[in-house]
Amino acid sequence: MRALLKTTLCTALVAAFVGCVNVNESTTVKVERSAEQAVIETIMTRRSVRDYKEEAVDREQMAKVIECGIYAPSAINMQPWAVRVVDDKAFLDGVTEIAVKQNPELAEQEGFRNFFRNAPTVAFIACPVESYSGEYDCGLLSENMMLSAWSMGIGSCCLGSVVPVMNSEEAKPYMERLQLPEDYKLLVAIAFGYPAGENPIAPERDATKAYYVE
Ligand SMILES: Cc1cc2nc3c(=O)[nH]c(=O)nc-3n(C[C@H](O)[C@H](O)[C@H](O)COP(=O)(O)O)c2cc1C
């Protein structure tokens, strides 16, 4: 009986992770993946996407991404973050205008549409100015958001370059619209959107930076 239960459970688990992989535009193959493989595949294939379709990310999908974000661990479960998602084109274009005024070279980039790597949906991540582990915890939240997004076919890119522009005097009205709690600072913005091109190749990693100490 126990063996039967085990077999049934295993079958159900495998069935839950049967997914589709796009080999190319016209061919889709069904592959069976274990839960472990699915997580590893998501981590290893996630890349910073800098080329998006114009349509905003579906808000139901984005709700799941946010939920995955706030299920990240945080020191003594303080959840020291504030997440504000914007898919208002006028908002993103307004900040873009300010960024381009400050650095006109931005607009010379090929295919430039906005300052958020052309993303139609942007999450602004903030943490308390004074916090034991706010920045670390927000990093975990951010990665949860990016990985869960990628598992749903949504590309993302962390954008540290957005912070100084948002903190500038000209962008004050936009910062105010984010309604961040008092004594919070903007840490990073994350671009989200459906990828418009090929998945980028992974920049090289330095494997010597992590090793066992015997
Ligand atoms: C905190 C942080 C800030 C980043 N800021 C930017 C940025 O302003 N613009 C950008 O294009 N990419 C930015 N990136 C993306 C990195 O360039 C990218 O993660 C790195 O090159 C590795 O590539 P991969 O994400 O495709 O693996 C940022 C990443 C992090 C974690």
Side-chain angles (χ1 to χ4, degrees):
M1 183 64 188
R2 204 178 253 186
L4 178 68
L5 195 66
K6 206 173 162 189
T7 313
T8 314
L9 261 174
C10 284
T11 312
L13 245 180
V14 168
F17 286 95
V18 169
C20 292
V21 168
N22 268 325
V23 174
N24 57 41
E25 294 250 313
S26 57
T27 320
T28 303
V29 290
K30 268 196 167 175
V31 291
E32 284 187 0
R33 305 184 291 178
S34 67
E36 181 189 329
Q37 282 170 333
V39 171
I40 293 172
E41 186 187 308
T42 301
I43 291 170
M44 296 305 286
T45 60
R46 180 218 55 83
R47 296 276 68 81
S48 290
V49 173
R50 299 182 176 91
D51 187 13
Y52 298 97
K53 292 181 180 163
E54 279 190 46
E55 67 184 291
V57 178
D58 175 84
R59 285 194 174 195
E60 263 182 43
Q61 286 187 309
M62 213 52 212
K64 185 48 82 183
V65 168
I66 294 167
E67 190 184 12
C68 288
I70 65 175
Y71 268 78
S74 64
I76 49 170
N77 194 28
M78 291 269 282
Q79 303 169 52
W81 44 59
V83 179
R84 303 288 183 265
V85 182
V86 176
D87 62 7
D88 174 14
K89 191 173 179 305
F91 183 115
L92 302 179
D93 287 350
V95 177
T96 298
E97 212 171 288
I98 293 165
V100 170
K101 226 179 251 173
Q102 292 175 4
N103 180 8
E105 281 176 16
L106 281 173
E108 290 164 21
Q109 288 166 3
E110 202 188 319
F112 181 86
R113 287 201 311 270
N114 81 20
F115 177 49
F116 303 91
R117 293 288 186 190
N118 295 340
T121 300
V122 177
F124 294 87
I125 314 293
C127 77
V129 176
E130 301 286 340
S131 163
Y132 164 64
S133 62
E135 296 194 9
Y136 189 94
D137 296 335
C138 281
L140 296 171
L141 162 125
S142 300
E143 182 70 335
N144 266 18
M145 290 179 75
M146 293 190 286
L147 289 175
S148 57
W150 185 234
S151 74
M152 292 187 271
I154 300 161
S156 65
C157 186
C158 251
L159 297 173
S161 48
V162 166
V163 177
V165 173
M166 286 298 285
N167 283 335
S168 68
E169 193 58 30
E170 301 97 300
K172 220 171 170 186
Y174 295 99
M175 272 300 260
E176 280 170 8
R177 278 177 65 186
L178 294 183
Q179 299 174 340
L180 297 177
E182 229 172 272
D183 299 326
Y184 268 54
K185 62 177 178 185
L186 183 62
L187 210 52
V188 78
I190 310 176
F192 288 99
Y194 302 110
E198 295 286 307
N199 200 30
I201 292 167
E204 206 176 311
R205 263 48 176 191
D206 180 357
T208 66
K209 284 178 180 273
Y211 52 84
Y212 272 99
V213 177
E214 302 295 356

